[in-house]
Every structure is written in C-alpha cells, then in structure tokens.
Amino acid sequence: MDYDIAEREIKKMIASGKDPTFLQKIVDYLYENFERYSWVGIYIVKGNDLILGPWRGEHATEHTKIPIGTGICGSAAQSGKTELIPDVNKDNRYLACFVSTRSEIVAPIKRNKNVVGEIDIDSDMPNAFDKQGALFLEKIADMLSKHIC
Ligand code: SME
C-alpha cells in the first residue's frame, strides 16, 4: 500500500467523523492494508499510564496498561519521540507481547506538545519499519491529535 493513498484514505475517515468507532476503523485499515503490520493498536494516556484502546491482530496483548516510562511504548510516551525498533530482542526495554514479534514502531500522538496517546505497531518481520514508514505514522498521529480524549 502506498503511504500517500493510505494517508488520504485515513484523512477521509477522520473527516467523515462523528462515528464513534472511527479509531477502530483506522486501526483496521492499517492492519488490513499493510501486510507487514502484524498487530496495530492505539494506546491512550490516562494519568501516568498508557491504556490500550482499539487494536487489531491475531492475539490480544496482556499489556493493556503500561506505565509511562516502561517498555518501548512507555519510552515513546515519555520522550514524545517515535521509537523505531529494528530488532525487539536487542532492546532491553522491550515488553514482549507476542513470541512472533521481531520489530516494532511507536509513534506518539501529541496535543499542544503533550503526549495524549500513541500508535503502536508490531511486525513479525525483522526491520519492518523505516524512516518513511515512521513519517507516515507520525502524520496519522498528527491527524488523530484532536480526536483523542
Ligand atoms: N512491546 C511494547 C508493549 C506493547 S505490545 O507490543 C502490544 C513495549 O515494549 O512497550
């Protein structure tokens, strides 16, 4: 799937708004259109934790609540910077969810410079994410900024 096409489609999904399930639809869209995305989820910041919102993948994760500062997700929430992990087994912050996961990316969703949530994607492929992929997810995160509460 071409990133520009996906960006336009997701923009449309957000613009047609009002549908309370739109976050789930965006997660579904990403999961269904990018083969290398094995698990896609949105975490929402609540107090000092990340709470799992809509997700899509073969299995549920046990990490439905992650303290900010813990794991790859918690690190991205703390720094406000995208985490691009080519090999999860080489990163000692990594909180394992699925044995099949090889690489991961987390793009924070920010509003007024505060992290309000994040997009977390796991891949069963090693090194599945690159700078272009990161830029794409950062754009989606920006689009979601006003819609996370
Ligand atoms: N691996 C993440 C935890 C979330 S699962 O990937 C769904 C982490 O290290 O924070």
Side-chain angles (χ1 to χ4, degrees):
M1 166 60 74
D2 182 275
Y3 289 130
D4 290 336
I5 295 174
E7 197 187 317
R8 278 202 297 277
E9 281 306 310
I10 292 174
K11 206 173 258 175
K12 275 194 245 162
M13 289 160 82
I14 294 172
S16 64
K18 304 264 159 45
D19 176 353
T21 66
F22 85 101
L23 277 183
Q24 181 68 56
K25 287 188 176 144
I26 292 167
V27 164
D28 289 344
Y29 181 87
L30 291 170
Y31 180 80
E32 285 163 12
N33 288 282
F34 292 90
E35 212 174 315
R36 62 182 55 197
Y37 296 179
S38 310
W39 188 93
V40 179
I42 293 179
Y43 283 90
I44 312 288
V45 172
K46 302 261 186 232
N48 294 321
D49 296 305
L50 289 159
I51 306 294
L52 184 60
W55 64 274
R56 179 85 181 268
E58 258 180 62
H59 305 286
T61 173
E62 63 186 63
H63 297 294
T64 54
K65 181 174 174 180
I66 301 174
I68 290 175
T70 300
I72 310 290
C73 288
S75 296
Q78 196 163 52
S79 68
K81 295 201 177 103
T82 299
E83 289 282 352
L84 205 163
I85 314 297
D87 181 348
V88 292
N89 295 316
K90 287 192 178 146
D91 194 312
N92 55 21
R93 299 168 301 170
Y94 176 63
L95 296 173
C97 289
F98 319 108
V99 281
S100 55
T101 300
R102 304 292 306 279
S103 55
E104 179 166 9
I105 190 166
V106 182
I109 302 170
K110 289 183 265 188
R111 188 163 57 233
N112 304 327
K113 298 198 178 141
N114 297 316
V115 178
V116 293
E118 57 189 34
I119 304 169
D120 176 25
I121 303 185
D122 284 22
S123 179
D124 292 351
M125 275 174 58
N127 204 10
F129 308 101
D130 59 9
K131 286 238 166 75
Q132 214 198 343
L135 208 64
F136 164 66
L137 291 171
E138 285 165 1
K139 283 186 191 161
I140 306 303
D142 275 355
M143 289 188 220
L144 292 178
S145 161
K146 290 189 207 121
H147 303 277
I148 301 288
C149 43

